[in-house]
Amino acid sequence: MTRIVSRSILLIALAAALAGCTGAGYYAESLNGHLRIMAARQDVAGLVADPGTPAELKARMESASAIRQFASDALDLPDNRSYRSYVDLGRDYVTIAVYAAPEFALAPVAKCFPVYGCVPYQAFFSLDNARKAATALQAQGLDVHVSGVTAYSTLGWTSDPLLSTMFRGGEASLAALVFHELAHSQVYVQDDSAFNEGFATAVETSGVRKWLSAAGDAEGLSRYEAGRARMADFLGLIAEARRELNAVYGGPGTEAQKRAEKAAAIERLRQRYRQMRDRRWNGYSGYDAWFAAPINNARLAATSVYNDLVPDFLRLFELCGGDYRRFYAEVARIGGLDRENRAGALEAAGSCG
């Protein structure tokens, strides 16, 4: 779950400075981190044309260039300068995201910024600063989850580069990242991360399917669909655990009793996962690391924010006949509704427009 979208770090920093917001050190770090990345950009077309470019890097840039063009030509995503340059970060993640949630509640603690509104995490370029923030939140009695970020979007305000962290998976993984990040530039609703991430993941999912189909990669498409099926199973496990925990948190027990019941529910989640892995998945262990790490409300909340609305958006895409322009227009229309009506309208949609 490391592919998490950071918000427009540059614009947040600038807007915060102009607004005289507190936390100047955080905004300075964000601004400096982003500017360092922007200063290190190399043009993708130039890398491909340069005979001195190493063969492996050249192949990656050729693939990335084709994916980027496909995003605009076939998915009607913004035809801007984003993901047409490249930066080798020399590290595993571009930023570190810190999530927090109350000990007995599943809703994440929101962090609010000028311009881009409230999001369910705070991102840091510095691992040390992320750890300090996590420690401070834990001292407040909150559940905390820290996750590495492989890519972020400035929503089209700057020309976001491809990052070396985006190439850790195969070609389908890179396509997913590019399509997802560009989708945030297509439609973005302030203060509603679940809506934004559900939409971007739906674009990512349909886009990767279209990309693999256009490439005639039947084997790759089969692998991708198998991965999506396992993801659906995983999210089903998380949803069941969340239902159990909500019942615990809303129940009449003391804090000590709720704490014990919470631990028991999380252990049952791990047990159900092991059964699914060994029986339904025939031993596939790709999620072992997720379940081996600490599980708490913040981690469960992060998973929910990025995935809960994806089925509704994919259904809407089908209602729009797989036409991206119609789909984007309808998503923008629903996104313009009041927040209390937005999710219901998406769920109840029976036609495209």
Side-chain angles (χ1 to χ4, degrees):
M1 304 300 296
T2 58
R3 182 188 41 70
I4 305 170
V5 184
S6 292
R7 293 294 159 247
S8 178
I9 297 171
L10 175 62
L11 268 292
I12 287 171
L14 292 176
L18 291 173
C21 292
T22 58
Y26 170 73
Y27 294 111
E29 180 208 335
S30 299
L31 177 59
N32 289 335
H34 183 73
L35 291 179
R36 283 195 298 270
I37 289 174
M38 297 297 284
R41 289 175 298 171
Q42 296 176 276
D43 182 63
V44 167
L47 287 170
V48 171
D50 187 351
T53 301
E56 181 179 359
L57 178 58
K58 183 174 184 177
R60 285 182 174 183
M61 293 301 100
E62 289 174 337
S63 176
S65 181
I67 288 169
R68 178 62 186 85
Q69 198 59 46
F70 186 87
S72 294
D73 292 347
L75 310 185
D76 284 308
L77 287 167
D79 190 8
N80 55 29
R81 291 299 304 165
S82 289
Y83 310 111
R84 300 186 191 277
S85 60
Y86 171 73
V87 176
D88 187 344
L89 293 174
R91 58 182 187 268
D92 291 336
Y93 302 106
V94 58
T95 60
I96 307 297
V98 179
Y99 291 83
E103 183 182 7
F104 301 123
L106 287 164
V109 175
K111 289 288 185 178
C112 298
F113 304 99
V115 181
Y116 289 92
C118 301
V119 294
Y121 61 86
Q122 188 170 12
F124 297 83
F125 281 96
S126 164
L127 177 58
D128 286 343
N129 287 343
R131 287 172 172 166
K132 289 176 183 176
T135 299
L137 291 166
Q138 287 169 334
Q140 298 173 33
L142 297 169
D143 282 5
V144 176
H145 170 54
V146 179
S147 179
V149 177
T150 56
Y152 69 82
S153 168
T154 60
L155 313 184
W157 286 96
T158 64
S159 300
D160 302 320
L162 295 159
L163 305 171
S164 53
T165 51
M166 298 170 67
F167 291 82
R168 295 171 60 185
E171 190 174 79
S173 175
L174 175 63
L177 285 167
V178 171
F179 301 159
H180 185 109
E181 304 302 341
L182 284 170
H184 285 305
S185 298
Q186 184 69 44
V187 177
Y188 180 82
V189 177
Q190 193 176 60
D191 299 337
D192 198 340
S193 291
F195 188 89
N196 294 326
E197 298 305 333
F199 163 67
T201 302
V203 173
E204 162 196 326
T205 302
S206 62
V208 171
R209 287 169 174 162
K210 194 176 183 77
W211 164 259
L212 293 171
S213 296
D217 188 355
E219 183 178 348
L221 181 59
S222 178
R223 287 195 303 271
Y224 182 73
E225 296 295 2
R228 292 296 305 170
R230 286 191 293 267
M231 171 63 81
D233 289 341
F234 164 74
L235 294 174
L237 293 177
I238 299 302
E240 184 175 359
R242 286 171 57 85
R243 286 191 293 270
E244 289 185 11
L245 289 169
N246 272 324
V248 169
Y249 301 152
T254 65
E255 285 193 357
Q257 289 171 333
K258 289 182 179 182
R259 200 167 286 124
E261 291 175 11
K262 173 183 178 181
I266 290 172
E267 181 53 36
R268 286 194 297 272
L269 169 61
R270 287 194 168 98
Q271 291 173 354
R272 289 194 293 268
Y273 164 68
R274 290 191 290 268
Q275 291 174 353
M276 178 174 287
R277 177 196 62 193
D278 297 340
R279 298 174 186 176
R280 184 179 177 87
W281 291 358
N282 298 315
Y284 175 82
S285 60
Y287 285 80
D288 277 6
W290 196 96
F291 284 94
I295 300 173
N296 59 25
N297 292 337
R299 197 163 194 224
L300 294 172
T303 302
S304 176
V305 164
Y306 286 88
N307 294 282
D308 278 0
L309 297 183
V310 175
D312 289 334
F313 278 107
L314 287 174
R315 185 177 61 83
L316 181 60
F317 179 68
E318 293 302 319
L319 289 173
C320 292
D323 185 314
Y324 283 97
R325 290 188 180 181
R326 292 181 64 206
F327 175 56
Y328 299 153
E330 183 64 2
V331 170
R333 184 191 70 79
I334 294 174
L337 300 175
D338 292 339
R339 181 163 186 169
E340 57 267 25
N341 298 320
R342 193 176 299 141
L346 177 63
E347 183 179 8
S351 64
C352 184

